[in-house]
Amino acid sequence: MASYTPSQRYLSTRGGSYDLSFEEVVLKGLAADGGLFIPEEIPSLPSDWYDQWNGLPFDELAVRLTSLFISPSEIPPDQLRNICQKSYAHTFRDQDVTPIVTLDSKQHLYLLELFHGPTFAFKDVALQFLGNLFEFFLVRRNERTQDSKRHHLTVIGATSGDTGSAAIYGLRGKKDVSVFILHPKGKVSPIQEAQMTTVLDANVHNLAVEGTFDDCQDTVKALFADPQINKTHNLAAVNSINWARILAQITYYFHSYFMLRKLPDFDPSTSKVKFVVPTGNFGDILAGYFAKRMGLPMEELVIATNENDILDRFWKTGYYEKKAVHGRAAEGGIPEDGVKAHSEGVKETLSPAMDILVSSNFERLLWFIAYEVSGDGTVDGSRRKAGEHVKAWLNQLKTSGGFGVEPAVLQAAKKEFESERVSDKQTVETIKSIYADKIFAPDYKGATKGTVQHGGYILDPHSAIGIAATLRSLQRSAPRVQHISLATAHPAKFANAVDQALRDADGFRFEDVLPEEFVGLESKEKRVTNVKRGAGLEGVRSIIEEEVALELAAS
């Protein structure tokens, strides 16, 4: 693969696959050994990156960044530029795609709004890109293929809320693609459910699973490992286990840094930057880790979790466990929460998109830390050892419900990240306090309706978790540290939490939070298939096989 740099070749975190192309990892999604794909090397930025990239529009910045991970022999530069333009140039309501807003200039507190896409959530940034990648690869594969031998892609994903609708809007109506989205029945917000199930395109299939998000995600992973369906269907992943999702999200870390540098109180010689990321599946913050490793100037990334705090407990104790077992920091939590780490699994919170027991993308970080800590001095040997460590840790998680890491691994993790856990009570208090600050003019209008009312900014519960963690980080940080907290969803997507926090606030009306796209959405015609508890791999596989056969017969 002489035309590829190491950052444009890919391997599995568990050591079973090496030397794969970008197209292969995007279309496969999950490695055959159950691992996740990562680049063999994280690229460094060009020496003149700031001067060359400063001021570029979002779509062109995406071209410059993604080209470091994609060989021009796979996607020529003009075609990569076309993919990025289709994904970002006219798809988002704000001309900056992901703008930053100032919440407190004295404290250097900023919010990165990631919800200006079609489904009002941060995942639009990645899934518009991924949908266009799928289309590009399929068109190219099918250009000279007879209809009976066309390459048909069966895209499968699990969602705790926003991934499903963003994937559906990115893939609806695309030729030679069937998309199946599994969501936990009754455990996503009504708006999120309606955004998914009211899309009636023939290639879109919603499966409501009786169980938790982890049940949905386990089924998706089982499908990718299942030899029976893989013999007859070309499966592709749409969850953040797909490397292209992580890759696309790197862009907004750089874009926000450029915007921050334009502010009058930013002094590059003294100002430092921290990003605070509300996270459940560890994909969004992992993109920040890649940006940091590439050379974007930043201090630690701050992990913000809700009461499903497996990540926070790892950074406190060095143990990654489904149930809290080791250490006082893992046992305590907030007394008002009424939980430690529910023995039956996931706790339902006001931030349901983060109600996740096991963070899939954490495996990717573990590989890079294992490579750094346990390497033998050679590239091949260090890669092999890293894969062996990750495989052993994940096997222990599967068989014993958790694993611990050696102190050197935990210290390496702490060098890059800090962590905070935010309760439901603290989430509500944060929504209230930010709204009460009235930081905007009464007539302020953002690119997306509903985020500001009577001068008060309205956070969704996930973004509120990020701000709560940011306020704690500000207390322990030096005075010139700038904090960018990621706002991952529009407040209208989580009516109960926002209404609970603000229903008694002067002049607040939830009806005014709703963008026009949401009005009447829940009353529209819906199409969804219910999956009984315990149906598992066999039940979902039969649904997919039947629906794809009907699609192909009708095409």
Side-chain angles (χ1 to χ4, degrees):
M1 299 177 102
S3 60
Y4 291 68
T5 66
S7 67
Q8 295 166 345
R9 297 199 306 269
Y10 294 85
L11 56 79
S12 167
T13 51
R14 302 189 194 181
S17 302
Y18 291 91
D19 206 29
L20 295 167
S21 70
F22 180 72
E23 180 174 355
E24 286 176 303
V25 302
V26 170
L27 294 182
K28 286 178 183 289
L30 190 69
D33 62 0
L36 305 183
F37 293 118
I38 52 174
E40 293 184 357
E41 186 178 289
I42 298 175
S44 296
L45 297 173
S47 58
D48 59 351
W49 69 275
Y50 182 82
D51 292 331
Q52 291 296 315
W53 297 355
N54 185 27
L56 292 178
F58 192 96
D59 57 306
E60 183 60 28
L61 183 58
V63 174
R64 306 297 178 93
L65 285 162
T66 56
S67 65
L68 299 176
F69 296 88
I70 305 169
S71 169
S73 65
E74 280 199 81
I75 305 180
D78 60 330
Q79 293 177 322
L80 180 59
R81 182 164 285 105
N82 182 55
I83 289 169
C84 292
Q85 287 176 343
K86 284 177 66 177
S87 301
Y88 305 122
H90 305 292
T91 317
F92 288 73
R93 289 176 295 279
D94 193 288
Q95 63 178 2
D96 289 323
V97 181
T98 58
I100 58 171
V101 297
T102 302
L103 290 187
D104 190 328
S105 58
K106 291 182 179 178
Q107 291 197 85
H108 310 296
L109 170 56
Y110 306 95
L111 196 67
L112 176 56
E113 292 184 334
L114 302 175
F115 50 72
H116 295 288
T119 69
F120 299 78
F122 80 98
K123 295 177 182 181
D124 286 321
V125 177
L127 284 159
Q128 286 295 310
F129 180 69
L130 181 58
N132 287 317
L133 279 176
F134 282 153
E135 184 176 51
F136 172 81
F137 290 137
L138 287 173
V139 167
R140 188 166 67 182
R141 288 186 174 206
N142 291 330
E143 274 178 339
R144 297 180 180 86
T145 305
Q146 295 178 353
D147 285 347
S148 60
K149 296 181 180 179
R150 293 181 69 84
H151 191 92
H152 187 91
L153 208 58
T154 302
V155 175
I156 302 173
T159 186
S160 57
D162 290 328
T163 293
S165 56
I168 286 167
Y169 277 71
L171 292 167
R172 62 186 301 181
K174 292 198 182 294
K175 188 174 177 61
D176 298 313
V177 179
S178 301
V179 55
F180 292 83
I181 299 298
L182 286 67
H183 71 267
K185 186 176 182 179
K187 293 183 173 65
V188 298
S189 77
I191 285 289
Q192 289 174 316
E193 183 183 3
Q195 280 186 309
M196 293 188 288
T197 57
T198 58
V199 176
L200 305 180
D201 296 64
N203 71 324
V204 172
H205 308 275
N206 285 286
L207 277 59
V209 178
E210 293 181 357
T212 66
F213 168 75
D214 292 284
D215 295 326
C216 298
Q217 187 151 264
D218 287 346
T219 301
V220 168
K221 288 183 176 181
L223 285 163
F224 279 99
D226 176 41
Q228 180 175 325
I229 195 166
N230 279 278
K231 285 180 183 177
T232 55
H233 293 68
N234 299 303
L235 300 188
V238 76
N239 282 75
S240 57
I241 59 174
N242 193 305
W243 162 246
R245 286 271 305 269
I246 308 300
L247 174 58
Q249 292 170 322
I250 294 172
T251 301
Y252 51 69
Y253 285 91
F254 281 86
H255 192 253
S256 62
Y257 177 78
F258 286 125
M259 289 192 290
L260 188 65
R261 287 281 298 261
K262 294 176 182 176
L263 298 179
D265 62 341
F266 188 95
D267 181 352
S269 64
T270 59
S271 297
K272 300 182 183 299
V273 182
K274 282 188 180 182
F275 286 89
V276 185
V277 188
T279 190
N281 223 11
F282 206 73
D284 201 2
I285 198 165
L286 185 70
Y289 169 78
F290 274 94
K292 187 175 190 289
R293 287 284 305 272
M294 290 169 73
L296 182 66
M298 69 170 85
E299 293 201 324
E300 298 90 349
L301 290 145
V302 182
I303 299 162
T305 77
N306 65 11
E307 295 161 24
N308 296 293
D309 58 356
I310 186 170
L311 290 168
D312 185 63
R313 286 185 280 115
F314 172 81
W315 259 267
K316 298 288 194 297
T317 69
Y319 288 90
Y320 188 76
E321 300 165 320
K322 294 181 181 179
K323 305 175 188 176
V325 176
H326 291 84
R328 292 183 59 82
E331 292 174 358
I334 308 297
E336 292 85 352
D337 295 347
V339 300
K340 296 175 184 176
H342 268 209
S343 58
E344 60 271 22
V346 179
K347 176 175 172 54
E348 296 179 16
T349 74
L350 296 176
S351 47
M354 293 162 59
D355 289 347
I356 293 171
L357 194 62
V358 174
S359 302
S360 294
N361 282 291
F362 185 54
E363 178 173 340
R364 285 182 161 120
L365 176 67
L366 287 172
W367 189 93
F368 283 103
I369 292 177
Y371 180 92
E372 174 188 336
V373 171
S374 306
D376 66 356
T378 68
V379 171
D380 290 343
S382 298
R383 287 174 181 167
R384 185 177 65 254
K385 282 184 171 291
E388 290 170 355
H389 277 293
V390 171
K391 185 176 181 180
W393 286 327
L394 271 293
N395 282 341
Q396 197 173 345
L397 177 67
K398 185 176 182 179
T399 57
S400 306
F403 60 86
V405 299
E406 59 191 89
V409 172
L410 180 59
Q411 285 307 116
K414 287 185 174 182
K415 186 173 68 176
E416 306 286 356
F417 296 89
E418 298 174 349
S419 181
E420 294 289 349
R421 175 189 189 272
V422 179
S423 70
D424 271 355
K425 180 178 179 181
Q426 292 162 337
T427 301
V428 170
E429 289 171 350
T430 303
I431 295 172
K432 286 181 178 179
S433 66
I434 294 298
Y435 180 77
D437 284 345
K438 305 295 184 185
I439 55 179
F440 291 92
D443 59 349
Y444 172 89
K445 290 185 179 180
T448 299
K449 177 193 172 187
T451 56
V452 175
Q453 222 176 96
H454 305 292
Y457 195 94
I458 303 169
L459 295 166
D460 94 283
H462 307 81
S463 306
I465 286 172
I467 291 296
T470 302
L471 294 173
R472 297 177 198 171
S473 179
L474 281 164
Q475 292 176 358
R476 60 176 179 266
S477 298
R480 294 294 299 173
V481 175
Q482 320 273 323
H483 282 71
I484 298 178
S485 187
L486 275 59
T488 55
H490 189 281
K493 299 196 78 166
F494 301 95
N496 292 335
V498 172
D499 191 57
Q500 179 180 329
L502 300 179
R503 65 169 67 108
D504 296 326
D506 286 345
F508 174 79
R509 282 172 20 102
F510 186 79
E511 294 81 359
D512 295 334
V513 177
L514 289 176
E516 61 181 29
E517 292 90 341
F518 286 8
V519 176
L521 185 62
E522 294 175 50
S523 62
K524 290 184 177 180
E525 181 185 354
K526 299 176 183 178
R527 185 159 61 88
V528 61
T529 301
N530 292 314
V531 179
K532 295 290 186 183
R533 187 181 299 275
L537 168 64
E538 292 79 11
V540 174
R541 181 177 60 205
S542 65
I543 293 171
I544 292 172
E545 290 172 338
E546 181 179 340
E547 293 295 338
V548 171
L550 290 171
E551 271 190 65
L552 293 175
S555 64

